[in-house]
Amino acid sequence: KKSMKKTTLIKSTQSIAIIGAGGFLGRHLTKSLSSQIHDLRCFDHNLTRINKEKHIKWVEGDISSPSLIEAINGCSTVIHLASTSTPSTADKNISEDAKENIQSSLHLFDQCAASGVKRIIFISSGGTVYGSPDIIPTPESAPTYPITAYGVTKLTIEKYLDIYLRQKDIDYRVLRVSNIYGPLQTAQNGQGVIASFLSKIINNQPIEIWGDGSITRDYIFVDDVIDAIISCIEDDGPHKIFNIGSGKGTSINKIIQLIENTTGVKVQKKLKPGRKVDVKTNILDCSLANEQLKWHPQTSLADGLKETYTWIKNICRYTNIRRS
């Protein structure tokens, strides 16, 4: 069950830039840090959806644009959330995915080095960098053999961060996050099983299931991910890469059962053949984050589903009102 949130104190001298502040995770992080950080910069290519608080510095542009310097110059920490692809889209154009995400990340890191940034926090993918792991739950020390372009891209960016540490003396933390879900996540960008399923139920549409529904994933509520990111801002421990997940596996069939319990609606299923890109089981061992960051997930899947369902239902109702 969801308990009181852990309070992580951040020094008032911190200056933090969020790259990708307009996205699902970025909007939650901005809200959480806005009351703690005296110098918070939020950078994104599209900030039109954001309720812009006056004490935050808002900078719009692509990572390749000159406005990036305005966002990060003099910051002590940069949190890199920006990504133009999802696990389902990266394989469709592998070279474009590498160009847009690896090259843009390297440009960001170069600008961080030139601007005096001390630490970069990067959100990687615990669901893809390990591929089909032999060890379950999977620790950070497990071999990394991603089977999708998305996982290769995330892992490559991780490796480059270590080079920038050695050559440019920029410290870093990497969070290999499992399947995030929660309010503000929409099904429109092709990412988020729970958001997609709930949206289809509310709109009385069938849910597509690839395979027999036994595929198992580690689902983590967005508030818990935000707590993990904040825990990394001033962490001074020896480890730099952390798994962030619930540590528990839930099959697609079980997710559907929980959704039916939450919504009171019988799910319409549309069965499709299994896909080669789908790893059968992915569960993260988060012992290292528990030990060094003193981080533990606080939200049960049942409670997180209820909160997400309420938000999506309200959004769909608001959208329908505006259309009428």
Side-chain angles (χ1 to χ4, degrees):
K1 291 185 178 181
K2 193 168 185 177
S3 62
M4 292 184 65
K5 281 188 180 181
K6 176 184 69 174
T7 301
T8 304
L9 298 178
I10 303 172
K11 294 176 183 176
S12 60
T13 54
Q14 280 280 2
S15 298
I16 296 176
I18 303 173
I19 309 301
F24 162 52
L25 197 54
R27 292 163 72 186
H28 279 279
L29 184 59
T30 297
K31 182 179 179 181
S32 184
L33 288 180
S34 63
S35 61
Q36 301 187 58
I37 303 298
H38 81 283
D39 184 6
L40 181 63
R41 298 70 159 317
C42 292
F43 181 86
D44 198 278
H45 73 283
N46 183 3
L47 293 171
T48 57
R49 298 172 296 173
I50 304 295
N51 181 20
K52 299 180 180 64
E53 298 182 44
K54 292 182 178 179
H55 70 284
I56 297 174
K57 184 172 186 176
W58 304 93
V59 183
E60 193 164 285
D62 296 320
I63 287 180
S64 59
S65 63
S67 59
L68 176 67
I69 299 297
E70 183 184 351
I72 68 174
N73 191 41
C75 279
S76 50
T77 300
V78 166
I79 303 174
H80 182 16
L81 309 176
S83 177
T84 62
S85 64
T86 68
S88 62
T89 63
D91 282 340
K92 294 178 181 178
N93 194 332
I94 294 175
S95 61
E96 191 67 21
D97 174 65
K99 177 182 177 182
E100 291 186 353
N101 291 292
I102 296 176
Q103 288 189 12
S104 64
S105 292
L106 294 180
H107 177 71
L108 170 62
F109 301 161
D110 282 336
Q111 298 307 314
C112 285
S115 302
V117 173
K118 302 300 182 185
R119 173 171 295 186
I120 297 170
I121 299 173
F122 173 59
I123 306 305
S124 185
S125 170
T128 62
V129 298
Y130 298 111
S132 300
D134 294 326
I135 307 170
I136 298 174
T138 308
E140 293 86 350
S141 58
T144 49
Y145 292 111
I147 61 174
T148 65
Y150 185 85
V152 171
T153 292
K154 292 293 188 182
L155 187 60
T156 301
I157 295 170
E158 288 186 21
K159 300 297 185 182
Y160 273 117
L161 276 170
D162 200 58
I163 291 176
Y164 276 80
L165 169 65
R166 298 173 190 279
Q167 296 187 4
K168 306 289 186 179
D169 200 29
I170 302 178
D171 197 8
Y172 71 90
R173 295 293 183 274
V174 169
L175 297 184
R176 292 176 174 169
V177 182
S178 63
N179 293 59
I180 313 175
Y181 72 98
L184 302 184
Q185 187 179 45
T186 67
Q188 297 173 350
N189 63 3
Q191 191 170 15
V193 165
I194 289 176
S196 175
F197 285 6
L198 288 173
S199 295
K200 287 184 179 297
I201 285 175
I202 291 169
N203 290 293
N204 197 30
Q205 297 173 343
I207 288 175
E208 293 182 348
I209 299 176
W210 301 86
D212 61 4
S214 64
I215 285 177
T216 299
R217 295 289 180 267
D218 185 333
Y219 296 93
I220 184 75
F221 192 63
V222 63
D223 286 358
D224 291 324
V225 178
I226 298 303
D227 284 345
I229 294 172
I230 294 175
S231 296
C232 283
I233 293 173
E234 292 184 344
D235 170 61
D236 59 359
H239 299 287
K240 300 185 182 302
I241 299 177
F242 303 93
N243 287 337
I244 299 297
S246 69
K248 300 175 182 177
T250 307
S251 70
I252 294 294
N253 290 329
K254 181 63 176 180
I255 286 289
I256 290 174
Q257 180 186 334
L258 289 169
I259 285 176
E260 289 179 334
N261 294 341
T262 299
T263 64
V265 177
K266 184 67 176 176
V267 170
Q268 304 173 54
K269 301 177 186 178
K270 185 177 180 180
L271 300 180
K272 291 196 168 187
R275 300 175 297 187
K276 292 182 180 180
V277 296
D278 288 328
V279 173
K280 182 172 178 56
T281 303
N282 178 264
I283 306 170
L284 299 181
D285 180 346
C286 303
S287 302
L288 197 58
N290 302 159
E291 177 185 343
Q292 181 168 311
L293 302 178
K294 309 306 178 187
W295 173 88
H296 302 270
Q298 302 292 318
T299 312
S300 71
L301 184 53
D303 287 344
L305 274 172
K306 289 176 185 176
E307 195 166 333
T308 307
Y309 174 59
T310 299
W311 182 83
I312 292 178
K313 185 168 60 174
N314 288 337
I315 287 297
C316 288
R317 182 182 299 137
Y318 175 72
T319 302
N320 289 333
I321 289 173
R322 292 193 67 184
R323 285 174 180 170
S324 61

